[in-house]
Amino acid sequence: MPELSQDAERVRAPLPFGVAEVTGPSMVPTLRHGDRLLVHYGARVKRGDVVVLRHPFQQDLLVVKRAAERRDGGWWVLGDNAYAGGDSTDYGVVPDELVLGRVRFRYRPRSTARRSLPALLAWLLTSARPVLSDRSASRRLRAR
């Protein structure tokens, strides 16, 4: 169920950005286990954004989910993988103060097992990309 490694907590820095590592399958296909994220802490969140938040029941645990809908008292968040669980369907609305920031960018570390030139080129073309808002997140919400 954990979504980010425990060392993903942002260290006080002059810039509001930090790096986090994804663990777990709840955001597949958008994010995969091992992906690294550039997180903009304190950024304004809107529907469809991928966000980093503190788990409502275990606040030392950071998770990454998609902000699906604004509700009274906070955000209804969902994982992109409907079968993984661990989102607002389990713990309800997440208060605003627990939503820490917005994910801006994702990159996948290079596999050391694949060293061929085609594998390197494929990694270069697909390893990094911005994480964009998905306005279709509310479709899954309506389906529940």
Side-chain angles (χ1 to χ4, degrees), residues 68-101:
E69 185 178 86
R70 192 80 177 92
R71 293 194 177 177
D72 288 337
W75 284 97
W76 188 265
V77 296
L78 296 172
D80 286 358
N81 181 352
Y83 302 106
D87 55 23
S88 284
T89 58
D90 295 329
Y91 45 74
V93 174
V94 176
D96 288 324
E97 60 270 12
L98 296 182
V99 178
L100 302 177

Side-chain angles (χ1 to χ4, degrees), residues 17 27 34 39 41 76 86 99 144:
F17 291 96
M27 286 300 289
V39 181
Y41 290 96
W76 188 265
V99 178
R144 289 184 179 220

Side-chain angles (χ1 to χ4, degrees), residues 44-107:
R44 198 171 119 197
V45 175
K46 54 189 183 309
R47 187 175 58 89
D49 287 344
V50 176
V51 296
V52 172
L53 56 113
R54 291 190 184 281
H55 191 285
F57 302 142
Q58 190 179 352
Q59 293 186 10
D60 61 333
L61 178 65
L62 298 179
V63 294
V64 60
K65 299 292 178 196
R66 190 170 300 277
E69 185 178 86
R70 192 80 177 92
R71 293 194 177 177
D72 288 337
W75 284 97
W76 188 265
V77 296
L78 296 172
D80 286 358
N81 181 352
Y83 302 106
D87 55 23
S88 284
T89 58
D90 295 329
Y91 45 74
V93 174
V94 176
D96 288 324
E97 60 270 12
L98 296 182
V99 178
L100 302 177
R102 181 176 166 195
V103 175
R104 298 288 187 171
F105 196 78
R106 181 273 299 155
Y107 75 94

